[in-house]
Amino acid sequence: MQGLATVLAGIPLAAILVGPDDRIIAANQGARDHFGQGLEGRHLLTALRQPDVLEAIEASLRDRQPRKITYQTSEAGRDSSFQVHVGYVETLDARGTLVCFEDLTEREHAAQMRRDFVANVSHELRTPLTALMGFIETLQGPARHDQAAIDRFLGIMQSEAARMERLVRDLLSLSRVESEERVRPREEVNLGQVIGSVLHALRPLARDRACEITFEAPDGMIVRGNDDQLQQVFTNLIENAIKYGGTGNHITITLERIARDATLRAPAILARVRDQGPGIEPLHIPRLTERFYRVDTHRSREMGGTGLGLAIVKHIVNRHRGRLRISSTLGEGAEFSVILPQWDRQEA
Amino acid sequence: MQGLATVLAGIPLAAILVGPDDRIIAANQGARDHFGQGLEGRHLLTALRQPDVLEAIEASLRDRQPRKITYQTSEAGRDSSFQVHVGYVETLDARGTLVCFEDLTEREHAAQMRRDFVANVSHELRTPLTALMGFIETLQGPARHDQAAIDRFLGIMQSEAARMERLVRDLLSLSRVESEERVRPREEVNLGQVIGSVLHALRPLARDRACEITFEAPDGMIVRGNDDQLQQVFTNLIENAIKYGGTGNHITITLERIARDATLRAPAILARVRDQGPGIEPLHIPRLTERFYRVDTHRSREMGGTGLGLAIVKHIVNRHRGRLRISSTLGEGAEFSVILPQWDRQEA
Ligand SMILES: Nc1ncnc2c1ncn2[C@@H]1O[C@H](COP(=O)(O)OP(=O)(O)O)[C@@H](O)[C@H]1O
Ligand SMILES: Nc1ncnc2c1ncn2[C@@H]1O[C@H](COP(=O)(O)OP(=O)(O)O)[C@@H](O)[C@H]1O
Ligand SMILES: [Mg+2]
Ligand SMILES: [Mg+2]
């Protein structure tokens, strides 16, 4: 590689250089990733299809003035948004127009996610809150002397308030985990013990739903982590298996050592939580860790869910430099695996 | 401008080109904005003070491999964060290292704001929720047959639930306004009428606090806007003036035409809401429109505030392509001005 191609290679954005004959003189890797291979030598019109961008390039070749254009595309169901910077260039190697593509997609997506999140939180709170306010009013008036009604209403109020409390608690967990996500935890944590104590706490729920749970763990399954957060991970996964697996379900939890995990590039510990419930349709799987995403909102609410459990799991696993893997065969159950780097004495 | 300087000018990031003698060959406007004028010809060490970046540049001059470094700075109380891309360049004009500075500050700031926001929402909800749950429990047990206690508790529960409802309502307003912020409203709105109806709705509150309100408006104060949102703006501002101005306060509201507003570069309408209360210390003024920012949190809560009122005002005014101006003299009161572009028949 030499000449202006070396300059383009150094620009951390998709960039192409267009000659006065409207042919592409050079392109960098970012541009190839975006527009495809073999850009050099091609006519502009065969590579770019944005009329505004083409017009700006032509204009800058004429008047040598810089220009800025934004455009949106929607390809393969994915919306993208770019700001394009066009500037006239004249060096000993070539003259033409430098076109840099700044990808705004992620930023706009983040802003959209935030707005959706706030709207979701508000909607989740609104329903129980409206119910509560209605009951308070009824207790103040019509039901004032009806002890049976009072008892029943107080029971419902209690469960609505508890729902809101779970939501607030999960929101706080989520924001705490997110804010620490870059700080890797440092404690030595025994995963077998963590899962054991989670199972102990979930025993009443499992009994209610006639769930049989098998747990196998070799000794010494130690990872570098945060005890409370790993408890939260397995509480959420096992609770989901109990709740969504249906009554009379059989849940299997295993822990095993992996000599070297390909993605983590290190010795790892694999924890699996498998149920024999109805499973999850493939189209939902990639979205389960989104905040408030549920396959069946009604069912999740009925079970007291907040829709934040797997989002919290994902962030905690990320913080631990691990991976979450979800697989399912419809009708045969679902499996949630957490792969965590094994405790390494050297690192500590 | 010619040679590689024209290429650097086309890169939409701060960028410098460093020669093999460690002197800066060229720099673009972004780099001058960030590092100061007169960069060309200077030795690298006199312009850049990040050891990691210097090291990466030296190394790439030696081995011609690209590198990526991130660094944080904290200058004049402002935290900034950069990702620096370093790449070897060899053209007919020059050879050296191209250094591009990608500013991550805004993105990280946005992420931090989001986390703070979620934490704030949760904390705001937690207090009334805990109170509610406590009362429900008491009503179920100890106070079960004590009608006087029941009545009193239900009254408090009602006001705690109402507090949560205001918060949820303001959260929804905020997310709605934010998501529409780029879509300029189109209706013809009479500001005099808007303020008149807000004053009508706030009359009971003003009477409770022995507030005298003077409102003067010439006819035909028409802006291009959204009626509901402008009602919200003046409700929030006038309610604040009543609540924070103290009892027996005198509030003056005026509307006037401005032939040409310097910032908006158009004929405008200026609406002022002035109170004679205690005013606001200068250090708080720039932060009042942040979500959940309050001068005195306890007092705001006591008044039933959510801390979101002025954030909503700011977003609505932005959506209207207007400006919000806050000024205050301690001990003499505060003035909140909204400047909106005047209705223009041509635009419509
Ligand atoms: N083991 C499982 N089997 C079937 N569906 C599941 C299972 N675990 C999670 N899901 C689905 O994923 C959704 C999101 O889970 P989660 O984030 O924990 O939220 P919540 O449980 O509060 O609804 C659930 O609503 C459910 O639809
Ligand atoms: N007219 C005013 N005089 C003094 N302080 C004010 C006035 N208006 C607003 N403030 C201050 O600005 C803060 C933020 O206002 P706002 O966003 O409306 O939230 P809230 O009223 O719910 O607290 C208030 O808590 C108060 O401290
Ligand atoms: Mg769950
Ligand atoms: Mg207010």
Side-chain angles (χ1 to χ4, degrees):
Chain A
M1 192 166 59
Q2 57 175 21
L4 283 173
T6 64
V7 182
L8 262 62
I11 300 176
L13 303 168
I16 58 172
L17 183 67
V18 182
D21 59 354
D22 283 348
R23 288 192 182 275
I24 297 172
I25 300 174
N28 67 6
Q29 192 55 44
R32 284 189 286 271
D33 292 344
H34 189 60
F35 298 106
Q37 297 293 320
L39 288 170
E40 286 89 348
R42 263 169 70 186
H43 194 281
L44 194 54
L45 282 171
T46 69
L48 272 179
R49 256 172 303 271
Q50 304 300 328
D52 290 357
V53 179
L54 295 170
E55 210 169 279
I57 295 172
E58 301 269 322
S60 107
L61 281 168
R62 275 197 309 275
D63 69 9
R64 311 189 168 187
Q65 293 304 308
R67 283 178 173 75
K68 216 153 67 173
I69 313 103
T70 51
Y71 73 85
Q72 271 83 38
T73 60
S74 185
E75 271 168 42
R78 256 191 91 250
D79 288 333
S80 306
S81 159
F82 287 90
Q83 174 140 61
V84 186
H85 303 259
V86 171
Y88 182 75
V89 159
E90 184 160 1
T91 72
L92 294 175
D93 296 79
R95 77 184 185 86
T97 303
L98 176 66
V99 190
C100 296
F101 298 82
E102 195 178 353
D103 192 341
L104 306 177
T105 313
E106 205 190 312
R107 240 170 292 175
E108 291 188 354
H109 186 68
Q112 185 58 45
M113 292 255 296
R114 194 190 74 178
R115 288 192 295 264
D116 290 350
F117 178 66
V118 175
N120 273 322
V121 170
S122 317
H123 284 298
E124 292 291 332
L125 288 165
R126 213 189 207 174
T127 317
L129 197 50
T130 308
L132 270 178
M133 296 200 62
F135 285 121
I136 292 173
E137 213 173 295
T138 312
L139 290 180
Q140 283 174 325
R144 211 163 159 235
H145 301 292
D146 179 346
Q147 193 60 49
I150 293 175
D151 288 343
R152 194 157 54 83
F153 291 165
L154 284 172
I156 308 175
M157 287 166 75
Q158 215 245 328
S159 84
E160 294 294 326
R163 166 190 306 289
M164 287 199 278
E165 206 183 35
R166 279 194 301 275
L167 180 62
V168 170
R169 185 205 56 201
D170 281 357
L171 285 174
L172 274 174
S173 287
L174 198 58
S175 77
R176 212 172 290 138
V177 178
E178 271 194 314
S179 72
E180 305 175 329
E181 198 157 333
R182 295 200 195 161
V183 189
R184 198 171 165 193
R186 312 189 55 85
E187 306 154 38
E188 199 175 328
V189 179
N190 184 320
L191 271 194
Q193 278 170 17
V194 164
I195 294 176
S197 81
V198 168
L199 286 177
H200 181 80
L202 290 177
R203 208 181 291 164
L205 181 68
R207 200 167 30 219
D208 282 355
R209 313 207 14 105
C211 237
E212 192 191 327
I213 303 184
T214 317
F215 173 41
E216 276 166 44
D219 273 349
M221 301 275 101
I222 314 284
V223 297
R224 180 173 165 184
N226 175 288
D227 205 302
D228 286 345
Q229 290 189 333
L230 291 173
Q231 296 241 13
Q232 226 179 322
V233 164
F234 291 100
T235 302
N236 289 343
L237 294 181
I238 299 169
E239 205 179 86
N240 280 349
I242 299 174
K243 292 192 313 188
Y244 302 111
T247 38
N249 188 14
H250 184 180
I251 296 165
T252 319
I253 303 165
T254 55
L255 274 178
E256 61 194 91
R257 254 190 210 92
I258 293 181
R260 187 185 151 83
D261 179 78
T263 312
L264 301 184
R265 294 185 190 163
I269 289 177
L270 165 64
R272 296 181 212 244
V273 178
R274 191 163 58 239
D275 66 67
Q276 296 177 346
I280 305 157
E281 277 189 78
L283 83 148
H284 297 299
I285 291 182
R287 301 197 57 188
L288 292 182
T289 56
E290 288 176 18
R291 299 146 172 233
F292 296 113
Y293 191 89
R294 293 122 147 176
V295 176
D296 179 341
T297 307
H298 182 75
R299 191 165 157 65
S300 156
R301 289 233 178 84
E302 212 175 61
M303 298 282 173
T306 60
L308 296 175
L310 291 175
I312 294 172
V313 166
K314 189 191 74 176
H315 282 287
I316 295 178
V317 171
N318 283 351
R319 185 184 172 211
H320 283 74
R321 311 284 191 268
R323 293 195 288 136
L324 173 70
R325 222 168 44 193
I326 309 174
S327 62
S328 173
T329 309
L330 221 56
E332 293 180 19
E335 179 174 298
F336 289 75
S337 314
V338 174
I339 299 141
L340 295 170
Q342 200 180 298
W343 174 261
D344 180 351
R345 203 167 299 278
Q346 255 89 66
E347 271 185 293
Chain B
M1 193 164 57
Q2 57 177 19
L4 284 173
T6 64
V7 181
L8 262 62
I11 300 176
L13 303 168
I16 57 173
L17 183 67
V18 181
D21 58 354
D22 284 349
R23 288 191 181 275
I24 296 172
I25 300 175
N28 67 7
Q29 191 56 44
R32 284 189 286 272
D33 291 345
H34 190 58
F35 298 106
Q37 296 295 319
L39 289 170
E40 286 89 347
R42 264 167 72 183
H43 194 281
L44 196 54
L45 283 172
T46 69
L48 274 179
R49 257 170 302 271
Q50 306 299 327
D52 291 357
V53 179
L54 294 171
E55 212 169 275
I57 294 172
E58 302 269 321
S60 107
L61 281 168
R62 276 196 308 276
D63 69 8
R64 310 191 170 186
Q65 294 303 307
R67 282 175 173 77
K68 216 155 65 174
I69 315 104
T70 51
Y71 73 85
Q72 269 83 36
T73 60
S74 185
E75 269 168 43
R78 258 191 90 249
D79 287 334
S80 307
S81 161
F82 288 88
Q83 175 140 60
V84 186
H85 303 259
V86 171
Y88 182 76
V89 158
E90 183 159 2
T91 71
L92 295 175
D93 296 80
R95 77 184 186 85
T97 302
L98 176 66
V99 190
C100 297
F101 299 82
E102 196 179 352
D103 193 342
L104 306 176
T105 314
E106 206 191 312
R107 242 172 290 177
E108 293 189 352
H109 186 69
Q112 184 58 44
M113 292 255 298
R114 194 190 72 177
R115 289 193 295 265
D116 291 349
F117 178 66
V118 175
N120 273 322
V121 170
S122 319
H123 284 297
E124 292 291 332
L125 288 165
R126 211 187 208 175
T127 318
L129 198 49
T130 309
L132 269 178
M133 296 198 63
F135 285 121
I136 293 172
E137 213 173 292
T138 311
L139 290 180
Q140 285 173 324
R144 208 160 161 243
H145 300 293
D146 179 346
Q147 193 60 51
I150 293 175
D151 288 343
R152 195 156 54 83
F153 292 164
L154 284 172
I156 308 176
M157 287 165 75
Q158 213 245 328
S159 84
E160 294 295 323
R163 167 191 304 292
M164 286 200 278
E165 207 184 36
R166 278 193 301 273
L167 180 62
V168 171
R169 186 204 56 198
D170 280 358
L171 285 174
L172 274 174
S173 287
L174 198 57
S175 76
R176 210 169 294 139
V177 178
E178 270 194 314
S179 72
E180 304 174 330
E181 197 158 331
R182 294 199 196 164
V183 189
R184 196 170 167 194
R186 311 189 56 86
E187 305 153 38
E188 197 175 332
V189 179
N190 184 320
L191 271 194
Q193 278 169 17
V194 164
I195 295 177
S197 81
V198 168
L199 286 177
H200 182 79
L202 290 177
R203 208 181 291 166
L205 181 68
R207 199 166 31 217
D208 282 354
R209 312 206 16 102
C211 238
E212 192 191 328
I213 303 184
T214 317
F215 173 41
E216 276 166 44
D219 273 349
M221 301 277 102
I222 314 286
V223 296
R224 181 173 164 183
N226 175 288
D227 205 302
D228 286 344
Q229 292 190 332
L230 291 173
Q231 296 240 13
Q232 227 179 321
V233 164
F234 291 100
T235 302
N236 289 344
L237 295 181
I238 300 170
E239 205 178 87
N240 280 349
I242 299 173
K243 291 193 312 190
Y244 302 111
T247 38
N249 188 12
H250 185 180
I251 297 167
T252 319
I253 303 165
T254 55
L255 274 178
E256 62 195 89
R257 254 190 212 93
I258 293 181
R260 187 186 152 83
D261 178 78
T263 313
L264 303 184
R265 292 187 193 161
I269 289 177
L270 164 64
R272 299 182 210 242
V273 177
R274 190 163 59 239
D275 66 64
Q276 296 177 346
I280 306 157
E281 276 190 80
L283 83 149
H284 297 298
I285 290 182
R287 303 198 55 189
L288 293 182
T289 56
E290 287 176 20
R291 298 145 172 235
F292 296 114
Y293 191 88
R294 292 121 147 175
V295 176
D296 179 341
T297 307
H298 182 75
R299 191 165 156 66
S300 156
R301 289 232 178 84
E302 212 177 59
M303 297 282 173
T306 60
L308 296 175
L310 292 174
I312 294 173
V313 166
K314 189 191 73 177
H315 282 287
I316 295 179
V317 170
N318 284 350
R319 186 185 172 211
H320 282 75
R321 313 284 191 270
R323 293 192 290 136
L324 174 70
R325 223 166 45 193
I326 309 176
S327 62
S328 173
T329 309
L330 221 57
E332 293 179 21
E335 178 174 299
F336 290 75
S337 314
V338 175
I339 299 142
L340 296 169
Q342 200 178 299
W343 173 261
D344 180 350
R345 203 168 296 280
Q346 254 92 68
E347 273 185 291

